[in-house]
């Protein structure tokens, strides 16, 4: 079974970075990565039906237009069972608490520690597939 992850970030190099860091999981078909450059694009992609279905969303907090926190609130209302991990360059306590209070599964700071992120992704996906 291939598990889909939607990565939402306005930085243009994020897609290449994630593809490189999850290369083994992509090659074996364990994961499929989907990318959106904005919260609005993420919502449109989710509404159109990603294949494989997104079972986890990783979203930047600070983006032009709709913020990642606003996206999180929409996802909690529209897709309450999809785990959302927020990613930010500003790992301050206020952002962390606001994200967690809004229903984020966790918050990861940039630069991303991909070893720690892989552990987090694997634990979230294990919970999701066990349910």
């Amino acid at each position: 079974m291939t598990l889909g992850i939607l990565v939402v970030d306005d930085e243009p190099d994020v897609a290449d970075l994630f593809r490189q860091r999850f290369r083994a999981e992509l090659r074996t078909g364990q994961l499929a990565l989907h990318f959106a450059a904005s919260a609005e694009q993420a919502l449109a992609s989710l509404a159109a039906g990603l294949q494989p279905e997104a079972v986890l969303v990783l979203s930047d907090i600070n983006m032009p237009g709709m913020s990642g926190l606003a996206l999180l609130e929409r996802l909690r209302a529209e897709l309450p069972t999809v785990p959302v991990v927020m990613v930010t360059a500003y790992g301050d306590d206020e952002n962390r608490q606001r994200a967690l209070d809004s229903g984020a599964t966790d918050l990861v700071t940039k630069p991303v520690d991909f070893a720690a992120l892989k552990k987090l992704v694997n634990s979230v996906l294990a919970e999701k597939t066990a349910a």
Side-chain angles (χ1 to χ4, degrees):
M1 174 182 188
T2 302
L3 301 171
I5 297 175
L6 175 60
V7 180
V8 186
D9 198 308
D10 61 311
E11 294 292 326
D13 59 340
V14 165
D16 289 338
L17 180 61
F18 271 76
R19 283 187 188 106
Q20 177 185 5
R21 298 298 180 131
F22 286 96
R23 182 175 45 230
E25 293 85 353
L26 293 169
R27 192 177 310 126
T28 61
Q30 178 184 359
L31 294 180
L33 296 175
H34 307 286
F35 298 95
S38 68
E40 295 86 354
Q41 185 182 23
L43 289 170
S45 295
L46 288 165
L50 295 171
Q51 291 301 318
E53 178 183 14
V55 294
L56 174 64
V57 175
L58 298 170
S59 177
D60 191 13
I61 288 181
N62 295 312
M63 295 183 287
M66 181 187 293
S67 74
L69 290 171
L71 172 63
L72 172 62
E73 290 174 9
R74 288 274 304 269
L75 292 174
R76 292 291 52 96
E78 296 172 18
L79 300 167
T81 63
V82 174
V84 180
V85 174
M86 303 307 296
V87 182
T88 183
Y90 311 100
D92 60 86
D93 288 338
E94 182 181 338
N95 269 339
R96 175 177 294 281
Q97 197 57 53
R98 188 163 169 217
L100 294 174
D101 288 348
S102 296
T105 302
D106 208 338
L107 186 123
V108 175
T109 56
K110 291 179 180 178
V112 173
D113 175 347
F114 277 92
L117 180 61
K118 281 185 180 189
K119 286 181 185 176
L120 175 61
V121 165
N122 288 332
S123 70
V124 169
L125 294 176
E127 284 179 26
K128 185 75 175 166
T129 56

